[in-house]
Amino acid sequence: MNIAKLVRANSPAARDGLPSTQDLLKDPSTSYLKEITSPLNAEVDLVAVHGLNWANAPAFAVRTWTAGDVGEERLWLKDMLPDRLPHVRVLLYSYNSNVAFHTSKVLVGDIAEDLLRKLLKNRQAAVKARNNPVYSSISQSAKSFAFFATPHRGGYGAEVGQAAAGLVRRLGMNPRNGIMEALRKDSHIAPEINSDFVDGQDNYRICSFYECKPMPGFSVLIVERRSAILDLGRSETRIPCINANHSTICKFALENEGYRQIIDEIEALVLWAISATGVTESNPVRSNKASSSLPETDSSSESGSSLPDREFFAPTTLHDDEPLSTVSLLEPPELVRKIRRGPFFLVPLPKSSGFVGQRQVLHRLQEFATSSDALKNKLALCGLGGIGKSQIALEHAYWYQMNNPDHSVFWVQARTLDMLQDSLDLIAAHCRVSQPKDTRLDMLERVRAWLLEPKNGSWLMVIDGADDIFTVDSSSTTNSTRNTPVPSKVRCSLGELGYYIPAPTHGKLLFTTNNRSTAKILASNGQVIEVTSMCPDDASLLLKEKLAERHTLWSDEKSSQQIWRKDELQKLADQLDYIPLALVQAASYLRETSLSTKDYLELLNTNELELTKLLEPISRGTEGDTDHVADAVISTWTVAFEQMETQCRPAVDLFSLLVFFDSHHIPEVLLRKFHGFDEQTIALSLKVLIGYAFITVSAQADTFDVHRLVQLACYKRLSSLGLERKWAVHALTLLSQEFPDGNYESWGKCEILLPHALRVLRSDLYGPTEASLLGALQSKMSWYYLTKGTFEQADILSQRALVNMGQVSSANPEGILAIKSERIMVLQKLGKYGEAEIMAQEVWKEFESSLGPKHEDTLKSLSLLSLIYQDQGKYAEGEKIIRKILKSMGRSTEADDTQLLEVRVRLGDNLYYLGRYEEAEKHMGETAILYNNKFGHQHPGTLKVYYKLAQTYYCQGRYEKAEKLTFDIWTSQKKILGADHPDTIKSLYEMANNLQALHKFALAESYQRANYRSAIRLVGLSHRYTLLAASSLASCLLASTLLDPRPSSERLAEAEDLYHFSLSGAEKEFHTNHPTILAARTDYCIVRRLRSSAHLAKLEAEEKDNLRKLKVMLGKEHQLTVKSRESLSRILWAQQRGDPSIWKKSRKHAKKVLEVREKRLGWHGEGTTIREETLLAAELVLEILPEGKERQKLAQKVGALKSAHDFRKNDYGSYGTQPSKNGSG
């Protein structure tokens, strides 16, 4: 409830004639009780008492509460507070504190006596006190106290007298004859003070504000947190003033966040006191007497008009130079019996000033509050501890009171039996239903009767933390301590004490509980709302607000400009699973440690267990002194663990296993494979875990989610019991057994189990005895990554598997060889051919030695060696090995057809790379049919064979057929493997080559650029896929430029740069004689010749070297060899300049190119088109040959063929080839 809304209606104007802030600052008086605000019909008196004036500053009582520039000072109690609390009268108390500091201890207590005498004289109260007949009216009227950095246990600032304790004792709590010991650090007085407050804490509301920044010039806090709080449990609210030091904690010139934090708590104190006395807008209890002014009082004159009867509020500070705030709200005792019917607002917690999110839940609660359905007057909020149920209920309680001011609101703490009974005792006390001789059961019966009585008005009761207390069933239907029958249905629904909390038609019950099953029982015919984590935006906002609190009051302007990056807040909120209590505690932790969100996120990247520090209590200087919020996250889960352990021990064991899995999508089928439990036990355990909200059913079918923070909390619990290794090994064993082999057919299961396998491998709890389990799991995962095209991850895992299996190689020699074979495949995919070849030879020899030359595993290892030869351009050696394998497999009964198909593919590859395209086409066609019959046409292996078949079409000039087949393959691979899989990208590259050959350069270039960008994004600039993609894009740019009537120098320059980049990197990754590198070098020479960016002599030397190597590796008639020869011919022709010897060499090479192309490719292309490669060679010869019969004959042949064939139209609107002026084609 907003107290301003309560009292502003028809609020009268304040009386005139009070001194201004500037007048007060000029007043030399040092002892007075003075009104500084005086509204008509004031509801509340607030008295501000300052601390000790060790600096002997003038007007210290005013300056304690004042901030601002000279001449513009603002006394917030006078200049700001009335805007929020217009019916609160403020009294400023001043005493000679500089004298008290230097004089005897007696004067310290005398200050308290002086204040109380002034209050008493002006209150006209004369009611017998329970302890002190002089001050009893104040004793019975005081309701609330607020302390600002008050050193209850002493501080570093000064030896200050404990006048606060003297004041409290004289308000009726065990006064003593002795004088307070001077207040020093670790004074022995503190236990006595605490004892006094505990005696009467149910009658008082206390708020303790404590500083968090050292004063300038100090390295420590003047008053530490442990000294600034009284440790009174639920009667005391402890508020850290994050950005305040000892001097600024109660000084405000602006309504900033620090001020709002203070005023919110003061408003809550006023609200609590009004609720405690029954003062509401609809039920005023003020005296009808007119209020009169209170003249200023000093040490020589204490006479003046009396204060009207009203509540009393006094902020008091007793630290060295600043205010001890005591908030006391006074009620005329003679009016007690008039308010027993309510309404009451008994909510011991202040309204949260920074509540964020959960709008849908609040809306449903508001619908519940306004519903007239008598059968639905109970509702339960359930969810994980720390998820924000209590804060939601608190927010609703204040909303309910504001919108239903004539209804009562009760808050019952039900986390323990004692807390629940104490809450009901408090209700009894405020309803004035108990009698002096009542037993506790009698009192509870009276509370029940009061709640059932419609005349007492409607009410809402929040029962917070209703877990195991309300699930205690009893076989008896009669209370063992009395004869009152308890209906068994109610008894079984609410437990033993549930009987005393009825649900009549004029009352509404709102429960909060961690347990879903309990929620269903408690709500019975009502509703259950499951509270889940905050949405990401709300979580980030909550973090931002809580983190920003430490910057609000800092005098350091640079620090106050701290900007919280949204992405960092979102990452941290995600790490905390969007759990509100964890978010608040995280902000508190970061404030305490002065860590930025960026630094903390970096810390989490290296050690996840750092996150558990957010769950631990935050120490503030002394052992046992912790913040209540800091305890909440871990303590609420610890209690739930203990409850669950007594209820269902297997559920605790099952959750101990889940601790080592990923927190999302844990498959139920995996849990059912655990050997420790049977089906029935698993089902029961899952039900219990769901009930406690430790796991939730995820959107993905038959899987569960776990809050990661709960996992970490359970891990810490296991560690404390010495059980963490046991359950880590259980998790590893289960995953090692259940993770599939990684082949395509098992990808679905691999994808589900992969996050959990990765989480299991992150543990460092394993020893040598788990090496084989680790190696087996890592090997399976490595193969899965390999088949999915994630080679870097496969590389890491295969290395680790090799190390782990090496520790047990003597026990499993075949296992280590299998993992070595897998390692060879990884090295091959990474382009590390030299290392792969050495290992492949070793593995083949070891298999041959141990199993024989014709064993299936021996032949597999030999096939692997042939693959490494093939990738290094050693196609002849590879073909020789493959044919040897096929011969052996034809005689072996051990070889399966899958292995045979793989070997057939290898043979087809070698035929293709050797330029034997017709033979390769026939072989790949047959193999594709076999694959299709065995695996189906959509299997990745089948698609790969069809891809190789399409390559043979391309190399034979059947571009349209190749383009159509490649497009179908690419479309299927995108669907099955994903757009980023290497096989999919290769198909897109091949499709671009076909489009390029079809002169569709624009589309081809767009595909090549997409490939290049994807390669950079997926594997980085230095990976061989990126280098090949760069070379392919350069080739496309070169081809399109050659056919452009207006060739672009920029495109040729880009092509040259791409070739240079590709070759520079590829020579590090590949063997320098690899055909791929030699082909790229040829294109690089062509570009530089066209751009004249290199001397022709240098280009001639480079191309001669290329040609020599290609003839050796691929033969004289391979298309790459022929292309290199054509390039060399053009280089020679460009530099002949009348030199007959150079001209002859150029003519010789050109005529050889034409001869081979006529033989291998012919003149006829697809359909009616001419074969352009052959035509280009012929035109080169015509350009070189001199006039004569030979040239005339060739020219007539070319002319006839041109007239008989069509030319393919290109993107530039022209047909066929367009040789450039410098003789290129």
Side-chain angles (χ1 to χ4, degrees):
M1 166 184 157
N2 190 324
I3 190 65
K5 182 173 181 179
L6 173 67
V7 298
R8 277 178 182 166
N10 303 315
S11 175
R15 287 177 289 178
D16 297 328
L18 297 179
S20 67
T21 298
Q22 293 302 316
D23 291 337
L24 291 169
L25 287 170
K26 296 174 183 177
D27 189 345
S29 302
T30 58
S31 180
Y32 55 75
L33 178 63
K34 182 183 300 185
E35 280 185 297
I36 59 174
T37 70
S38 185
L40 295 174
N41 298 327
E43 300 267 350
V44 175
D45 282 341
L46 181 152
V47 174
V49 183
H50 61 84
L52 298 183
N53 186 7
W54 56 269
N56 199 20
F60 184 67
V62 183
R63 296 187 185 279
T64 292
W65 312 92
T66 302
D69 296 334
V70 176
E72 299 180 359
E73 294 93 338
R74 298 192 76 188
L75 172 59
W76 65 272
L77 293 169
K78 174 180 177 63
D79 301 327
M80 296 161 64
L81 181 141
D83 293 337
R84 182 76 168 265
L85 303 172
H87 275 219
V88 172
R89 183 177 67 156
V90 180
L91 304 168
L92 190 64
Y93 176 64
S94 176
Y95 63 96
N96 192 0
S97 56
N98 55 313
V99 174
F101 179 78
H102 294 292
T103 54
S104 70
K105 299 178 182 179
V106 176
L107 292 178
V108 177
D110 288 344
I111 294 170
E113 297 281 355
D114 177 64
L115 172 58
L116 292 173
R117 282 198 307 272
K118 284 183 171 64
L119 292 174
L120 179 62
K121 184 174 182 65
N122 293 286
R123 294 287 302 200
Q124 290 187 335
V127 181
K128 183 179 180 180
R130 63 187 175 109
N131 287 319
N132 191 323
V134 177
Y135 305 125
S136 60
S137 63
I138 299 176
S139 169
Q140 294 180 14
S141 299
K143 297 299 180 185
S144 302
F145 297 89
F147 297 98
F148 287 78
T150 305
H152 303 296
R153 295 173 178 82
Y156 287 102
E159 298 266 332
V160 184
Q162 181 52 292
L167 172 62
V168 171
R169 290 196 176 91
R170 286 160 181 78
L171 290 180
M173 293 180 288
N174 299 334
R176 291 174 172 79
N177 295 325
I179 304 300
M180 289 294 98
E181 176 185 353
L183 192 61
R184 62 177 185 273
K185 183 170 170 44
D186 295 323
S187 168
H188 72 274
I189 299 300
E192 300 176 10
I193 302 171
N194 292 351
S195 175
D196 290 337
F197 267 94
V198 169
D199 288 344
Q201 63 176 300
D202 285 340
N203 297 321
Y204 296 94
R205 171 72 174 176
I206 299 158
C207 184
S208 297
F209 300 94
Y210 55 90
E211 65 203 69
C212 292
K213 287 186 65 179
M215 289 272 289
F218 288 81
S219 61
V220 296
L221 300 177
I222 300 299
V223 178
E224 294 178 338
R225 178 183 178 276
R226 75 178 193 94
S227 181
I229 64 174
L230 290 166
D231 282 333
L232 297 183
R234 58 191 175 89
S235 295
E236 179 186 20
T237 300
R238 291 162 286 184
I239 305 297
C241 296
I242 299 302
N243 301 319
N245 60 32
H246 193 65
S247 176
T248 61
I249 194 168
C250 54
K251 293 180 178 180
F252 307 101
L254 300 172
E255 293 190 9
N256 55 23
E257 187 63 28
Y259 173 75
R260 288 190 289 271
Q261 180 187 35
I262 299 296
I263 199 66
D264 285 347
E265 296 302 325
I266 291 177
E267 180 184 71
L269 293 175
V270 172
L271 179 62
W272 188 89
I274 289 176
S275 300
T277 57
V279 179
T280 67
E281 207 168 13
S282 62
N283 186 22
V285 294
R286 304 273 66 73
S287 169
N288 292 326
K289 295 184 294 180
S291 299
S292 59
S293 300
L294 175 68
E296 297 179 8
T297 307
D298 57 28
S299 57
S300 60
S301 174
E302 296 180 358
S303 63
S305 302
S306 62
L307 280 71
D309 293 335
R310 60 172 65 90
E311 286 93 359
F312 181 77
F313 172 80
T316 316
T317 59
L318 281 184
H319 54 73
D320 342 318
D321 81 332
E322 305 308 329
L324 155 101
S325 288
T326 307
V327 181
S328 301
L329 295 163
L330 306 176
E331 165 208 356
E334 63 270 17
L335 298 176
V336 165
R337 290 300 173 184
K338 297 181 181 179
I339 62 170
R340 66 181 303 274
R341 293 194 183 279
F344 302 105
F345 188 74
L346 301 184
V347 178
L349 303 172
K351 186 179 187 297
S352 174
S353 60
F355 185 86
V356 174
Q358 300 293 4
R359 288 172 287 275
Q360 291 183 348
V361 177
L362 289 172
H363 179 69
R364 289 185 62 183
L365 287 177
Q366 292 168 11
E367 290 180 341
F368 161 73
T370 56
S371 172
S372 58
D373 190 344
L375 297 178
K376 294 184 178 179
N377 58 352
K378 291 181 289 185
L379 185 145
L381 298 176
C382 68
L384 180 70
I387 207 69
K389 303 180 296 295
S390 298
Q391 283 297 315
I392 293 171
L394 183 64
E395 187 75 8
H396 177 68
Y398 278 92
W399 175 89
Y400 185 92
Q401 202 278 338
M402 180 182 295
N403 288 273
N404 302 278
D406 56 336
H407 292 196
S408 293
V409 180
F410 304 108
W411 187 281
V412 175
Q413 294 281 8
R415 301 190 185 281
T416 66
L417 187 63
D418 288 339
M419 292 175 71
L420 184 140
Q421 291 175 334
D422 288 345
S423 296
L424 295 178
D425 288 346
L426 189 62
I427 293 174
H430 282 277
C431 294
R432 306 298 192 265
V433 298
S434 58
Q435 299 298 324
K437 295 183 179 181
D438 277 351
T439 66
R440 167 158 281 181
L441 289 177
D442 292 333
M443 181 272 296
L444 294 178
E445 278 289 358
R446 294 181 188 278
V447 170
R448 182 175 185 274
W450 191 96
L451 293 171
L452 286 170
E453 176 55 60
K455 293 180 181 180
N456 291 326
S458 299
W459 49 264
L460 166 70
M461 181 177 288
V462 179
I463 303 176
D464 186 35
D467 292 312
D468 60 341
I469 290 177
F470 285 96
T471 56
V472 176
D473 294 338
S474 174
S475 58
S476 171
T477 58
T478 303
N479 193 296
S480 59
T481 61
R482 58 188 178 85
N483 295 323
T484 306
V486 182
S488 59
K489 183 177 181 181
V490 176
R491 179 95 169 255
C492 293
S493 298
L494 295 180
E496 187 70 21
L497 285 172
Y499 167 76
Y500 299 105
I501 306 177
T505 56
H506 60 277
K508 291 186 180 292
L509 291 174
L510 173 59
F511 299 92
T512 71
T513 176
N514 296 337
N515 194 306
R516 181 190 294 178
S517 300
T518 301
K520 292 179 179 179
I521 295 172
L522 293 171
S524 61
N525 296 329
Q527 308 172 61
V528 173
I529 300 177
E530 186 167 357
V531 181
T532 57
S533 300
M534 303 179 77
C535 71
D537 288 342
D538 286 342
S540 298
L541 179 59
L542 179 61
L543 259 181
K544 181 179 180 180
E545 289 186 355
K546 296 302 178 182
L547 284 169
E549 287 177 1
R550 65 167 164 172
H551 299 289
T552 306
L553 301 177
W554 280 359
S555 57
D556 184 347
E557 290 298 325
K558 183 178 180 180
S559 299
S560 66
Q561 299 302 314
Q562 175 91 28
I563 297 176
W564 304 105
R565 289 183 51 182
K566 185 176 180 180
D567 59 333
E568 292 175 359
L569 293 175
Q570 288 178 339
K571 287 178 183 178
L572 182 54
D574 181 67
Q575 292 275 9
L576 297 169
D577 282 342
Y578 309 108
I579 299 175
L581 192 56
L583 295 169
V584 173
Q585 189 168 335
S588 178
Y589 175 81
L590 294 179
R591 291 197 303 264
E592 289 296 315
T593 58
S594 298
L595 277 174
S596 67
T597 50
K598 180 181 179 181
D599 292 340
Y600 189 71
L601 286 168
E602 291 176 355
L603 188 61
L604 287 183
N605 288 334
T606 59
N607 183 8
E608 185 185 43
L609 286 179
E610 284 289 330
L611 198 60
T612 62
K613 291 183 179 179
L614 299 183
L615 309 180
E616 297 170 350
I618 301 171
S619 175
R620 294 186 183 267
T622 55
E623 186 176 354
D625 182 26
T626 58
D627 188 278
H628 70 287
V629 175
D631 289 337
V633 176
I634 198 164
S635 63
T636 189
W637 297 337
T638 300
V639 170
F641 284 140
E642 293 170 352
Q643 292 172 357
M644 193 165 61
E645 197 161 21
T646 60
Q647 182 181 354
C648 182
R649 173 69 202 192
V652 177
D653 289 343
L654 184 61
F655 194 78
S656 299
L657 182 71
L658 299 184
V659 165
F660 297 92
F661 293 161
D662 188 73
S663 58
H664 298 294
H665 305 308
I666 302 172
E668 182 178 355
V669 65
L670 177 65
L671 303 180
R672 295 187 182 279
K673 295 287 186 178
F674 182 53
H675 64 82
F677 302 127
D678 56 30
E679 289 285 331
Q680 185 177 0
T681 303
I682 288 285
L684 176 61
S685 299
L686 290 174
K687 182 178 180 181
V688 171
L689 290 170
I690 292 172
Y692 277 94
F694 280 170
I695 66 173
T696 57
V697 179
S698 57
Q700 186 173 318
D702 301 321
T703 63
F704 302 100
D705 293 339
V706 185
H707 282 288
R708 196 157 62 97
L709 288 183
V710 184
Q711 282 182 309
L712 292 173
C714 185
Y715 178 86
K716 289 178 69 67
R717 181 173 179 271
L718 291 174
S719 298
S720 67
L721 299 173
L723 297 175
E724 71 276 23
R725 173 173 157 75
K726 169 188 173 182
W727 288 104
V729 172
H730 279 318
L732 173 62
T733 303
L734 184 60
L735 263 299
S736 182
Q737 294 169 350
E738 295 302 317
F739 200 91
D741 57 16
N743 287 320
Y744 170 70
E745 293 77 11
S746 67
W747 280 4
K749 187 175 181 181
C750 287
E751 185 176 355
I752 293 172
L753 295 183
L754 182 64
H756 310 295
L758 290 171
R759 181 65 184 268
V760 163
L761 291 182
R762 282 162 55 185
S763 175
D764 59 357
L765 298 171
Y766 311 120
T769 54
E770 286 76 49
S772 60
L773 290 172
L774 285 169
L777 178 58
Q778 289 162 339
S779 175
K780 293 176 181 179
M781 293 169 65
S782 173
W783 187 255
Y784 170 67
Y785 276 126
L786 188 68
T787 57
K788 291 285 287 185
T790 312
F791 303 140
E792 284 72 18
Q793 289 295 327
D795 182 27
I796 294 170
L797 285 168
S798 66
Q799 290 186 64
R800 293 176 180 173
L802 200 58
V803 171
N804 282 311
M805 292 303 290
Q807 298 182 40
V808 293
S809 58
S810 58
N812 186 12
E814 294 180 9
I816 189 67
L817 289 175
I819 291 181
K820 283 185 177 181
S821 298
E822 180 182 284
R823 177 68 184 155
I824 294 167
M825 290 292 294
V826 174
L827 293 171
Q828 179 261 339
K829 291 295 184 182
L830 292 173
K832 299 178 180 180
Y833 303 121
E835 186 179 349
E837 180 179 347
I838 294 172
M839 185 176 286
Q841 289 176 341
E842 292 176 354
V843 170
W844 167 53
K845 291 177 181 178
E846 289 184 40
F847 269 123
E848 187 178 46
S849 174
S850 60
L851 301 176
K854 297 182 180 180
H855 190 275
E856 176 183 356
D857 290 338
T858 306
L859 296 177
K860 281 183 179 179
S861 64
L862 192 57
S863 174
L864 195 54
L865 179 60
S866 73
L867 176 64
I868 306 303
Y869 283 154
Q870 173 186 302
D871 283 333
Q872 294 181 88
K874 302 176 182 179
Y875 305 124
E877 295 94 326
E879 180 189 9
K880 182 179 179 181
I881 292 175
I882 290 297
R883 292 196 181 279
K884 178 181 178 181
I885 294 172
L886 285 172
K887 184 177 180 180
S888 297
M889 291 181 71
R891 300 173 182 174
S892 173
T893 58
E894 297 178 357
D896 61 32
D897 53 352
T898 302
Q899 183 181 355
L900 179 62
L901 290 175
E902 290 175 354
V903 174
R904 285 183 60 89
V905 172
R906 298 271 166 78
L907 178 59
D909 276 342
N910 277 276
L911 294 173
Y912 165 77
Y913 287 121
L914 287 168
R916 293 149 61 181
Y917 303 124
E918 293 180 359
E919 188 179 353
E921 178 189 349
K922 179 182 178 182
H923 185 82
M924 282 300 186
E926 295 171 351
T927 305
I929 294 173
L930 294 173
Y931 257 94
N932 191 40
N933 292 338
K934 182 172 178 60
F935 299 108
H937 69 286
Q938 292 293 302
H939 189 277
T942 307
L943 294 174
K944 186 177 290 187
V945 176
Y946 276 117
Y947 164 81
K948 295 177 182 295
L949 179 62
Q951 285 184 308
T952 66
Y953 294 158
Y954 171 84
C955 290
Q956 294 177 82
R958 287 142 61 190
Y959 305 126
E960 291 181 358
K961 187 174 183 179
E963 192 269 338
K964 183 179 183 303
L965 178 58
T966 307
F967 178 80
D968 292 340
I969 295 167
W970 177 65
T971 303
S972 296
Q973 286 175 331
K974 274 202 307 181
K975 180 179 179 181
I976 297 170
L977 305 177
D980 290 339
H981 192 280
D983 288 353
T984 310
I985 294 174
K986 284 168 65 177
S987 294
L988 183 62
Y989 156 76
E990 191 64 29
M991 190 161 59
N993 286 341
N994 284 295
L995 291 169
Q996 180 178 317
L998 292 169
H999 295 178
K1000 299 178 181 179
F1001 296 116
L1003 186 56
E1005 182 181 335
S1006 69
Y1007 285 164
Q1008 295 288 20
R1009 289 192 183 278
N1011 270 344
Y1012 185 43
R1013 289 193 298 269
S1014 295
I1016 294 173
R1017 174 173 55 86
L1018 295 172
V1019 294
L1021 281 170
S1022 61
H1023 196 278
R1024 68 184 187 119
Y1025 283 165
T1026 306
L1027 302 175
L1028 292 173
S1031 179
S1032 298
L1033 174 57
S1035 175
C1036 182
L1037 294 172
L1038 174 61
S1040 63
T1041 303
L1042 292 176
L1043 291 181
D1044 191 346
R1046 296 177 298 278
S1048 167
S1049 59
E1050 290 81 6
R1051 292 169 69 80
L1052 279 177
E1054 183 183 2
E1056 181 176 352
D1057 291 341
L1058 286 167
Y1059 276 128
H1060 178 75
F1061 163 73
S1062 175
L1063 287 169
S1064 298
E1067 288 176 354
K1068 300 176 184 177
E1069 295 288 330
F1070 298 91
H1071 193 279
T1072 54
N1073 292 337
H1074 194 283
T1076 302
I1077 291 182
L1078 297 176
R1081 282 178 179 170
T1082 293
D1083 286 339
Y1084 190 35
C1085 286
I1086 294 173
V1087 171
R1088 288 181 292 165
R1089 175 175 59 82
L1090 293 174
R1091 296 194 69 231
S1092 301
S1093 59
H1095 293 294
L1096 292 174
K1098 180 180 180 181
L1099 295 178
E1100 179 186 355
E1102 290 182 12
E1103 198 61 81
K1104 282 182 177 179
D1105 185 59
N1106 282 347
L1107 179 60
R1108 178 180 58 80
K1109 292 177 179 177
L1110 285 167
K1111 284 193 294 184
V1112 173
M1113 296 186 69
L1114 303 176
K1116 295 180 180 180
E1117 296 186 355
H1118 193 281
Q1119 65 173 358
L1120 295 182
T1121 309
V1122 174
K1123 184 177 181 181
S1124 175
R1125 189 185 293 277
E1126 180 186 8
S1127 173
L1128 178 59
S1129 175
R1130 292 185 184 279
I1131 292 170
L1132 292 169
W1133 175 244
Q1135 64 174 328
Q1136 50 90 18
R1137 296 180 182 179
D1139 187 332
S1141 62
I1142 297 178
W1143 172 76
K1144 289 180 180 179
K1145 291 177 182 177
S1146 176
R1147 181 187 62 179
K1148 176 183 176 182
H1149 287 303
K1151 293 176 70 174
K1152 184 64 177 177
V1153 169
L1154 179 59
E1155 176 188 342
V1156 174
R1157 286 182 175 167
E1158 281 185 306
K1159 174 184 174 182
R1160 299 293 299 273
L1161 303 179
W1163 287 92
H1164 305 289
E1166 285 183 296
T1168 59
T1169 62
I1170 195 169
R1171 189 63 185 255
E1172 293 175 0
E1173 294 92 334
T1174 307
L1175 179 60
L1176 281 172
E1179 290 176 338
L1180 174 61
V1181 173
L1182 288 173
E1183 187 177 354
I1184 296 174
L1185 286 175
E1187 293 293 337
K1189 293 183 178 180
E1190 182 180 5
R1191 188 180 188 283
Q1192 184 179 3
K1193 182 179 178 181
L1194 179 60
Q1196 291 175 350
K1197 182 179 180 179
V1198 169
L1201 288 168
K1202 281 185 174 182
S1203 62
H1205 290 81
D1206 295 326
F1207 288 88
R1208 210 179 297 278
K1209 186 176 180 180
N1210 59 48
D1211 287 349
Y1212 306 108
S1214 58
Y1215 293 83
T1217 58
Q1218 299 287 333
S1220 62
K1221 295 179 181 179
N1222 62 0
S1224 63

